[in-house]
Amino acid sequence: LQSLAGRFGTTEVEFRDGTLWLTRPDREPARLLPMTADGLFAVERVEALRVKLTGKRMEMLRVGAAKPQVIARD
């Protein structure tokens, strides 16, 4: 999990206390909850959002969106 942490545009994924946390501007940090072994996470308290981390990019998958928002790692 630690290797997936990093900055993706204005969003930061931090590794702390053995888990990943998503920090976005003007929002409280939210814990990422692992869903699959290939890097798909649920976002705590945000039912309509999933995050996929590959190490080089982050894909933000919103319910109802045609395709994910892809953000390269800084």
Side-chain angles (χ1 to χ4, degrees):
L1 290 177
Q2 194 167 6
S3 67
L4 297 175
R7 180 166 288 284
F8 303 87
T10 59
T11 301
E12 186 167 353
V13 175
E14 297 177 273
F15 179 79
R16 57 183 168 160
D17 302 325
T19 192
L20 293 173
W21 291 80
L22 182 71
T23 304
R24 298 183 288 167
D26 301 325
R27 292 185 173 91
E28 291 290 319
R31 188 168 38 150
L32 294 178
L33 309 167
M35 295 182 72
T36 65
D38 67 344
L40 183 64
F41 296 85
V43 181
E44 188 174 56
R45 301 181 319 273
V46 185
E47 291 294 320
L49 180 64
R50 299 290 181 261
V51 173
K52 182 160 187 171
L53 297 167
T54 67
K56 293 184 180 184
R57 68 180 192 217
M58 174 177 62
E59 297 177 12
M60 297 184 87
L61 310 146
R62 290 182 173 79
V63 171
K67 55 184 179 177
Q69 177 186 6
V70 178
I71 307 167
R73 186 179 197 153
D74 291 350

